[in-house]
Amino acid sequence: MAPIKPRISVEYAGNATIITFTDEKILEEKDIQALQESIMSVVEQSERINMILDFRNVRFLSSSVLGLLIRISKKIYECDGKLRLCNIDPKIYEVFKITRLTKIFDIYQDIESATEGSSTAD
Amino acid sequence: MLVAGWSLSLQTHCKGFLKWHKFMASKTPISRSIAVESTPSAIIRVCKHILAELEANNFSRDDIFAVHLALEEALINAVEHGNKADADKEVKINYLVDPDKVEISVTDNGNGFNPNIVPDPRYGENLYKTGGRGLFLIRSYMDVVEFNERGNRMRIVRYKKKPHASG
């Protein structure tokens, strides 16, 4: 059976749920759909989730992935949860900056600062 | 058959050719036409193919990232909005890679759209929308973005970034 892509890994640190994208590029619409289903099911399993999305492996994304992130953030905020992004490659950070998505996402340099941010959040 | 054009152009791109091409890159402008079916996997193949040409012609990582982003968005627009994801409709891609620039045109079979009325995704409620950023990203990362009158063909150009002149 072919491995399911794209993959995510899920870890728990304190009260934070850390989701790491394991693929370098997230391109196809069906991959984005699969990611959405996986992440939404994690969101639904917790009450007031403190989610950190770790981009350490991601080197390229398209505007469809930005749309996915907005859908995830809306879902999390609806459930009174928190969302943080971290370890974003400088070229991808530039995409967030020019689209002004840095205004709506909490972006941290690394997992340590993102985890600290989530432990100080109420 | 739509994939025929694609297969034909691939025949000239065996590994040996690419190695030779890398060596000759600065002296060899490349101009090609490709027609592909309107599917996500065809988009990925076209992107990979053109990005390999840029790599062989010593375009920087920043240039390659920029072209990848813009080309992917242009192809997604052509497939999803232009051809309504109908796999039987083709997307035509013409591209030229020379030592100074890459120029790509993407044509779909749709009725076209008016690029001047696409809202700015950075402001107001648009910032919170899940779509509508593709054209803005293309304009941000390309040096030239033009449309034909019908609005079903986009031409994009990125000039190779030169090292800063000294003095």
Side-chain angles (χ1 to χ4, degrees), chain A residues 16-118:
Chain A
T17 303
I18 303 167
I19 293 192
T20 306
F21 298 107
T22 52
D23 289 336
E24 255 192 37
K25 295 173 186 174
I26 307 158
L27 295 173
E28 287 205 36
E29 196 51 46
K30 67 176 167 52
D31 292 341
I32 292 167
Q33 273 299 327
L35 268 179
Q36 175 163 326
E37 280 165 26
S38 310
I39 296 172
M40 291 302 195
S41 79
V42 175
V43 174
E44 281 159 9
Q45 281 164 27
S46 317
E47 216 173 289
R48 301 184 73 210
I49 196 167
N50 263 319
M51 182 178 280
I52 298 171
L53 291 178
D54 188 336
F55 284 74
R56 70 179 61 222
N57 301 308
V58 182
R59 294 291 169 267
F60 182 82
L61 50 76
S62 66
S63 66
S64 313
V65 178
L66 299 178
L68 165 71
L69 295 175
I70 292 171
R71 284 194 292 277
I72 293 168
S73 73
K74 281 181 176 168
K75 176 81 178 172
I76 290 177
Y77 296 139
E78 270 169 27
C79 306
D80 282 331
K82 304 236 176 253
L83 174 67
R84 291 168 178 79
L85 315 183
C86 71
N87 279 322
I88 298 180
D89 178 90
K91 286 194 187 66
I92 295 177
Y93 184 76
E94 190 66 25
V95 175
F96 279 85
K97 221 165 104 180
I98 63 171
T99 52
R100 294 183 83 232
L101 288 176
T102 44
K103 303 274 176 208
I104 64 171
F105 287 114
D106 272 345
I107 300 179
Y108 291 79
Q109 191 149 8
D110 49 37
I111 195 75
E112 289 76 21
S113 51
T115 315
E116 244 171 61
S118 82

